Amino acid sequence: MAAHTAAAPHADYHSKLGNNRLGLWLFILSDSFLFIGLFVTRFYLLGGHRPELNQILGLIVTSVLLISSFFMNRAEVSIAHGDRKGFLNSTLITMLLGLTFLVGVVGVEWPLAGQHFGPDTGPEGAVFFMMTGMHAFHVLTGVLFLSIVYRNGRKGLYSAERHWAVEACTNYWHFVDVVWIFFYPALYLIGTVAAG
Amino acid sequence: MKKDEELLYGVIIFIVLAVLTGAEYWMAVATRLWAALSAIALLKASLVLQYYMHLSRVTSGDGGH
């Protein structure tokens, strides 16, 4: 009887884990429809043209997000093996890279793009600012999520057996990366810059 | 899977993603093969979904580690 009660919370946690994962993926699926809509809008409104953007800066922010995904993966692997220090370090680096991405897009790219078009000057501006703005908002919420996970991690709330919040945060962060995998070529690479 | 093996997996996937991103950029500048760019984007997304997001865990129900 005592063994049964001791094992019950552990079994309960693992039975909930399946539901949690399904719920998270349903959320990701529903959120992805928003980005699919923006992606389709870009090709519907701009067709074979693309906004005039700084190519090098686009490659740099893309690389920053890619590297952040690598560290996010390290964070999850570390906590899954009980390495709390490795988890905290990798989470902190991911957060800093996320903030760097935000500075690159909102702080640098937006003013540069603003020299050619604005959010209200035509389809180019509307598409560019809506796509990057919505994505940046998700990066910001991802950084907030990471900061909560980091704080809880410092308190020792996660272990190798119980770290669902870390897994959820990791998947959310990678989802934001997947969105940028499609947005980057759509905004920076595919099509020709419209003359004038 | 051991921790070192999992970390190595992460490194390999990262390198593949970085190479694909470089190829994407080069293709856009040098060749303008838009269809190839779309294919690369799909491949990159598939790699992230499978190896970083562990999509298969949803149906398998395991701990994943």
Side-chain angles (χ1 to χ4, degrees), chain A residues 5-169:
Chain A
T5 47
H10 191 69
D12 193 39
Y13 175 80
H14 279 276
S15 68
K16 279 182 182 170
L17 192 59
N19 290 337
N20 287 345
R21 281 177 179 158
L22 185 60
L24 178 72
W25 276 99
L26 287 174
F27 163 72
I28 286 174
L29 184 67
S30 65
D31 208 18
S32 65
F33 282 112
L34 171 74
F35 289 110
I36 291 168
L38 290 171
F39 188 78
V40 171
T41 303
R42 177 258 178 264
F43 286 100
Y44 181 74
L45 289 179
L46 303 183
H49 296 292
R50 62 175 167 81
E52 192 172 347
L53 300 167
N54 188 318
Q55 289 290 316
I56 299 299
L57 185 60
L59 189 62
I60 289 171
V61 293
T62 301
S63 303
V64 166
L65 203 60
L66 183 63
I67 296 167
S68 80
S69 261
F70 168 71
F71 279 102
M72 190 73 255
N73 178 254
R74 280 185 86 87
E76 190 191 11
V77 171
S78 295
I79 197 66
H81 290 276
D83 177 7
R84 189 163 154 262
K85 192 182 172 200
F87 156 69
L88 288 172
N89 287 340
S90 295
T91 305
L92 188 62
I93 294 170
T94 308
M95 260 195 295
L96 292 174
L97 289 168
L99 289 172
T100 307
F101 176 86
L102 280 177
V103 169
V105 172
V106 179
V108 182
E109 185 66 285
W110 279 15
L112 284 175
Q115 293 171 2
H116 305 288
F117 49 80
D120 57 349
T121 54
E124 261 188 344
V127 163
F128 171 75
F129 284 102
M130 193 64 203
M131 285 174 80
T132 55
M134 189 54 75
H135 182 264
F137 177 69
H138 278 71
V139 173
L140 179 65
T141 54
V143 170
L144 291 174
F145 196 173
L146 278 166
S147 68
I148 293 166
V149 163
Y150 180 76
R151 193 195 64 172
N152 288 343
R154 278 177 66 95
K155 288 179 180 173
L157 295 181
Y158 307 126
S159 65
E161 294 78 26
R162 289 171 177 255
H163 56 272
W164 158 244
V166 180
E167 186 184 324
C169 186

